[in-house]
Short mmCIF file of all heavy atoms in Angstrom, two decimals:
data_model
loop_
_atom_site.label_atom_id
_atom_site.label_comp_id
_atom_site.label_asym_id
_atom_site.label_seq_id
_atom_site.Cartn_x
_atom_site.Cartn_y
_atom_site.Cartn_z
N HIS V 39 98.99 94.99 104.96
CA HIS V 39 98.03 94.43 104.01
C HIS V 39 96.68 95.11 104.20
O HIS V 39 96.18 95.23 105.31
CB HIS V 39 97.89 92.92 104.22
CG HIS V 39 97.11 92.24 103.14
ND1 HIS V 39 97.61 92.04 101.87
CD2 HIS V 39 95.84 91.74 103.13
CE1 HIS V 39 96.68 91.44 101.14
NE2 HIS V 39 95.61 91.25 101.87
N SER V 40 96.09 95.54 103.09
CA SER V 40 94.79 96.22 103.16
C SER V 40 93.68 95.22 103.47
O SER V 40 93.72 94.06 103.07
CB SER V 40 94.50 96.91 101.82
OG SER V 40 93.20 97.46 101.83
N LYS V 41 92.66 95.72 104.18
CA LYS V 41 91.49 94.88 104.46
C LYS V 41 90.56 94.81 103.24
O LYS V 41 89.67 93.97 103.18
CB LYS V 41 90.71 95.45 105.66
CG LYS V 41 91.49 95.36 106.97
CD LYS V 41 90.60 95.79 108.14
CE LYS V 41 91.32 95.62 109.47
NZ LYS V 41 92.22 96.75 109.74
N ARG V 42 90.78 95.73 102.30
CA ARG V 42 89.91 95.76 101.12
C ARG V 42 90.27 94.63 100.15
O ARG V 42 91.44 94.40 99.86
CB ARG V 42 90.11 97.08 100.36
CG ARG V 42 89.25 98.22 100.84
CD ARG V 42 89.54 99.47 100.05
NE ARG V 42 89.52 99.24 98.61
CZ ARG V 42 90.12 100.02 97.72
NH1 ARG V 42 90.81 101.06 98.12
NH2 ARG V 42 90.03 99.75 96.44
N PRO V 43 89.28 93.90 99.62
CA PRO V 43 89.59 92.89 98.62
C PRO V 43 90.12 93.54 97.35
O PRO V 43 89.65 94.61 96.95
CB PRO V 43 88.25 92.19 98.37
CG PRO V 43 87.20 93.14 98.86
CD PRO V 43 87.83 93.97 99.92
N ASN V 44 91.12 92.91 96.73
CA ASN V 44 91.72 93.39 95.47
C ASN V 44 92.26 94.82 95.58
O ASN V 44 92.25 95.58 94.61
CB ASN V 44 90.72 93.31 94.31
CG ASN V 44 90.15 91.93 94.15
OD1 ASN V 44 90.81 90.93 94.43
ND2 ASN V 44 88.89 91.85 93.72
N ALA V 45 92.70 95.21 96.77
CA ALA V 45 93.22 96.57 96.98
C ALA V 45 94.44 96.82 96.09
O ALA V 45 95.19 95.89 95.78
CB ALA V 45 93.62 96.74 98.44
N PRO V 46 94.63 98.07 95.65
CA PRO V 46 95.84 98.39 94.90
C PRO V 46 97.07 98.23 95.79
O PRO V 46 96.98 98.25 97.01
CB PRO V 46 95.63 99.84 94.48
CG PRO V 46 94.64 100.40 95.44
CD PRO V 46 93.78 99.26 95.89
N ILE V 47 98.22 98.06 95.16
CA ILE V 47 99.49 97.90 95.89
C ILE V 47 100.39 99.09 95.67
O ILE V 47 100.27 99.80 94.66
CB ILE V 47 100.22 96.59 95.48
CG1 ILE V 47 100.44 96.55 93.96
CG2 ILE V 47 99.44 95.37 95.96
CD1 ILE V 47 101.27 95.36 93.48
N ALA V 48 101.30 99.32 96.61
CA ALA V 48 102.25 100.43 96.48
C ALA V 48 103.58 100.05 97.12
O ALA V 48 103.62 99.43 98.18
CB ALA V 48 101.70 101.70 97.13
N LEU V 49 104.66 100.44 96.45
CA LEU V 49 106.02 100.16 96.92
C LEU V 49 106.72 101.48 97.23
O LEU V 49 106.70 102.40 96.42
CB LEU V 49 106.79 99.41 95.83
CG LEU V 49 108.26 99.07 96.11
CD1 LEU V 49 108.37 98.07 97.27
CD2 LEU V 49 108.93 98.51 94.85
N MET V 50 107.35 101.55 98.43
CA MET V 50 108.04 102.76 98.88
C MET V 50 109.55 102.56 98.81
O MET V 50 110.06 101.53 99.27
CB MET V 50 107.69 103.10 100.34
CG MET V 50 106.21 103.05 100.69
SD MET V 50 105.26 104.42 100.03
CE MET V 50 104.36 103.60 98.72
N LEU V 51 110.28 103.56 98.28
CA LEU V 51 111.74 103.44 98.12
C LEU V 51 112.46 104.55 98.88
O LEU V 51 112.13 105.74 98.74
CB LEU V 51 112.09 103.50 96.63
CG LEU V 51 111.41 102.43 95.76
CD1 LEU V 51 111.75 102.63 94.29
CD2 LEU V 51 111.80 101.02 96.20
N HIS V 52 113.46 104.16 99.64
CA HIS V 52 114.11 105.11 100.57
C HIS V 52 115.31 105.84 99.95
O HIS V 52 115.82 105.46 98.89
CB HIS V 52 114.48 104.39 101.88
CG HIS V 52 115.61 103.41 101.80
ND1 HIS V 52 116.93 103.77 101.61
CD2 HIS V 52 115.63 102.05 101.96
CE1 HIS V 52 117.70 102.71 101.64
NE2 HIS V 52 116.94 101.64 101.83
N PRO V 53 115.78 106.90 100.64
CA PRO V 53 116.90 107.69 100.10
C PRO V 53 118.23 106.95 100.15
O PRO V 53 118.31 105.79 100.55
CB PRO V 53 116.91 108.95 100.96
CG PRO V 53 116.10 108.66 102.16
CD PRO V 53 115.20 107.51 101.83
N HIS V 54 119.28 107.64 99.74
CA HIS V 54 120.60 107.05 99.46
C HIS V 54 121.17 106.28 100.65
O HIS V 54 121.38 106.83 101.73
CB HIS V 54 121.57 108.15 99.08
CG HIS V 54 122.68 107.68 98.19
ND1 HIS V 54 123.61 106.75 98.62
CD2 HIS V 54 123.01 107.99 96.92
CE1 HIS V 54 124.47 106.52 97.64
NE2 HIS V 54 124.12 107.25 96.59
N PRO V 55 121.46 104.97 100.43
CA PRO V 55 121.98 104.14 101.53
C PRO V 55 123.31 104.64 102.10
O PRO V 55 123.59 104.45 103.28
CB PRO V 55 122.20 102.78 100.85
CG PRO V 55 121.28 102.77 99.68
CD PRO V 55 121.23 104.20 99.21
N GLN V 56 124.12 105.30 101.27
CA GLN V 56 125.43 105.76 101.77
C GLN V 56 125.36 107.06 102.56
O GLN V 56 126.35 107.52 103.10
CB GLN V 56 126.39 105.89 100.59
CG GLN V 56 126.72 104.53 99.95
CD GLN V 56 127.90 104.61 99.02
OE1 GLN V 56 127.95 105.47 98.15
NE2 GLN V 56 128.86 103.72 99.22
N TYR V 57 124.18 107.65 102.61
CA TYR V 57 124.00 108.89 103.38
C TYR V 57 122.94 108.70 104.46
O TYR V 57 122.21 109.63 104.79
CB TYR V 57 123.65 110.05 102.44
CG TYR V 57 124.73 110.32 101.43
CD1 TYR V 57 124.63 109.81 100.14
CD2 TYR V 57 125.88 111.04 101.77
CE1 TYR V 57 125.63 110.03 99.20
CE2 TYR V 57 126.89 111.26 100.85
CZ TYR V 57 126.76 110.75 99.58
OH TYR V 57 127.76 110.96 98.65
N GLY V 58 122.83 107.47 104.94
CA GLY V 58 121.94 107.21 106.07
C GLY V 58 120.50 106.89 105.70
O GLY V 58 119.64 106.81 106.58
N GLY V 59 120.22 106.70 104.42
CA GLY V 59 118.86 106.40 103.99
C GLY V 59 118.42 104.99 104.39
O GLY V 59 119.15 104.03 104.17
N THR V 60 117.23 104.89 105.01
CA THR V 60 116.65 103.59 105.36
C THR V 60 115.14 103.67 105.13
O THR V 60 114.58 104.75 104.93
CB THR V 60 116.89 103.19 106.83
OG1 THR V 60 115.95 103.89 107.66
CG2 THR V 60 118.30 103.50 107.29
N MET V 61 114.48 102.51 105.24
CA MET V 61 113.03 102.49 105.09
C MET V 61 112.32 103.20 106.24
O MET V 61 111.11 103.46 106.16
CB MET V 61 112.53 101.05 104.99
CG MET V 61 112.72 100.23 106.25
SD MET V 61 111.95 98.61 106.07
CE MET V 61 112.55 97.80 107.57
N ASN V 62 113.04 103.51 107.31
CA ASN V 62 112.45 104.23 108.44
C ASN V 62 112.62 105.74 108.35
O ASN V 62 112.26 106.47 109.28
CB ASN V 62 113.04 103.72 109.76
CG ASN V 62 112.69 102.26 110.00
OD1 ASN V 62 111.56 101.84 109.70
ND2 ASN V 62 113.63 101.47 110.48
N ASN V 63 113.18 106.21 107.23
CA ASN V 63 113.26 107.64 106.98
C ASN V 63 111.88 108.28 107.14
O ASN V 63 110.87 107.69 106.74
CB ASN V 63 113.81 107.84 105.56
CG ASN V 63 113.67 109.27 105.09
OD1 ASN V 63 112.63 109.65 104.56
ND2 ASN V 63 114.69 110.06 105.30
N LYS V 64 111.81 109.47 107.72
CA LYS V 64 110.52 110.08 108.05
C LYS V 64 109.64 110.34 106.83
O LYS V 64 108.42 110.19 106.87
CB LYS V 64 110.73 111.38 108.82
CG LYS V 64 111.08 111.14 110.29
CD LYS V 64 111.16 112.44 111.05
CE LYS V 64 111.47 112.18 112.53
NZ LYS V 64 111.65 113.45 113.26
N VAL V 65 110.26 110.75 105.73
CA VAL V 65 109.49 111.00 104.51
C VAL V 65 108.90 109.69 103.99
O VAL V 65 107.72 109.61 103.64
CB VAL V 65 110.34 111.69 103.43
CG1 VAL V 65 109.59 111.77 102.10
CG2 VAL V 65 110.76 113.09 103.87
N VAL V 66 109.72 108.64 103.97
CA VAL V 66 109.26 107.32 103.50
C VAL V 66 108.15 106.79 104.41
O VAL V 66 107.13 106.27 103.92
CB VAL V 66 110.44 106.32 103.44
CG1 VAL V 66 109.97 104.93 103.05
CG2 VAL V 66 111.49 106.81 102.45
N TYR V 67 108.33 106.96 105.71
CA TYR V 67 107.32 106.53 106.69
C TYR V 67 106.01 107.27 106.46
O TYR V 67 104.92 106.68 106.50
CB TYR V 67 107.87 106.81 108.09
CG TYR V 67 107.00 106.34 109.23
CD1 TYR V 67 107.08 105.03 109.70
CD2 TYR V 67 106.12 107.21 109.85
CE1 TYR V 67 106.28 104.60 110.76
CE2 TYR V 67 105.31 106.81 110.91
CZ TYR V 67 105.40 105.50 111.36
OH TYR V 67 104.61 105.07 112.39
N THR V 68 106.11 108.57 106.19
CA THR V 68 104.93 109.39 105.92
C THR V 68 104.22 108.95 104.64
O THR V 68 102.99 108.84 104.60
CB THR V 68 105.33 110.88 105.84
OG1 THR V 68 105.87 111.28 107.11
CG2 THR V 68 104.15 111.78 105.51
N LEU V 69 104.99 108.69 103.60
CA LEU V 69 104.43 108.19 102.34
C LEU V 69 103.71 106.86 102.57
O LEU V 69 102.59 106.64 102.10
CB LEU V 69 105.53 108.00 101.30
CG LEU V 69 106.17 109.27 100.70
CD1 LEU V 69 107.41 108.91 99.89
CD2 LEU V 69 105.16 110.01 99.81
N PHE V 70 104.37 105.97 103.29
CA PHE V 70 103.84 104.64 103.59
C PHE V 70 102.44 104.76 104.22
O PHE V 70 101.47 104.13 103.77
CB PHE V 70 104.80 103.92 104.54
CG PHE V 70 104.41 102.52 104.91
CD1 PHE V 70 104.90 101.43 104.21
CD2 PHE V 70 103.55 102.28 105.98
CE1 PHE V 70 104.56 100.13 104.56
CE2 PHE V 70 103.19 100.99 106.34
CZ PHE V 70 103.69 99.91 105.62
N HIS V 71 102.34 105.59 105.24
CA HIS V 71 101.07 105.69 105.96
C HIS V 71 99.99 106.43 105.16
O HIS V 71 98.79 106.16 105.33
CB HIS V 71 101.29 106.30 107.34
CG HIS V 71 101.89 105.30 108.29
ND1 HIS V 71 101.14 104.30 108.86
CD2 HIS V 71 103.16 105.10 108.70
CE1 HIS V 71 101.93 103.53 109.61
NE2 HIS V 71 103.16 104.00 109.53
N ALA V 72 100.41 107.32 104.27
CA ALA V 72 99.44 107.98 103.39
C ALA V 72 98.78 106.95 102.47
O ALA V 72 97.56 106.95 102.28
CB ALA V 72 100.11 109.07 102.57
N PHE V 73 99.58 106.04 101.92
CA PHE V 73 99.03 104.99 101.05
C PHE V 73 98.16 104.02 101.85
O PHE V 73 97.11 103.58 101.37
CB PHE V 73 100.16 104.23 100.35
CG PHE V 73 100.65 104.89 99.09
CD1 PHE V 73 101.72 105.77 99.13
CD2 PHE V 73 100.04 104.64 97.87
CE1 PHE V 73 102.19 106.39 97.96
CE2 PHE V 73 100.49 105.25 96.70
CZ PHE V 73 101.56 106.12 96.75
N VAL V 74 98.57 103.70 103.08
CA VAL V 74 97.77 102.81 103.94
C VAL V 74 96.40 103.45 104.18
O VAL V 74 95.35 102.77 104.09
CB VAL V 74 98.50 102.52 105.27
CG1 VAL V 74 97.55 101.87 106.28
CG2 VAL V 74 99.71 101.63 105.04
N ARG V 75 96.38 104.75 104.47
CA ARG V 75 95.11 105.45 104.73
C ARG V 75 94.16 105.39 103.53
O ARG V 75 92.95 105.39 103.69
CB ARG V 75 95.37 106.92 105.09
CG ARG V 75 95.78 107.16 106.52
CD ARG V 75 95.69 108.62 106.90
NE ARG V 75 96.54 109.49 106.11
CZ ARG V 75 97.84 109.70 106.35
NH1 ARG V 75 98.44 109.09 107.37
NH2 ARG V 75 98.55 110.50 105.58
N GLN V 76 94.73 105.35 102.34
CA GLN V 76 93.91 105.32 101.13
C GLN V 76 93.53 103.90 100.71
O GLN V 76 93.00 103.67 99.63
CB GLN V 76 94.63 106.03 99.97
CG GLN V 76 94.86 107.52 100.20
CD GLN V 76 93.58 108.32 100.26
OE1 GLN V 76 92.55 107.91 99.72
NE2 GLN V 76 93.61 109.46 100.93
N GLY V 77 93.85 102.91 101.57
CA GLY V 77 93.39 101.55 101.34
C GLY V 77 94.30 100.66 100.52
O GLY V 77 93.90 99.58 100.09
#
């Protein structure tokens, strides 16, 4: 959760579940933290 009031929201979606895709995938994790850095 952002500390900024009325901060924009973002949803991250992971790769194919049948080929090992999870929310902890490195690309998804990287995207997640990029959005966090931008508030």
Side-chain angles (χ1 to χ4, degrees):
H39 190 73
S40 175
K41 294 187 176 80
R42 273 179 50 201
N44 306 328
I47 55 175
L49 178 66
M50 313 287 107
L51 303 176
H52 71 70
H54 207 297
Q56 294 194 310
Y57 299 98
T60 80
M61 66 175 172
N62 296 321
N63 168 274
K64 282 185 178 176
V65 172
V66 176
Y67 184 85
T68 298
L69 289 169
F70 182 95
H71 284 284
F73 276 93
V74 167
R75 279 194 300 277
Q76 295 295 336

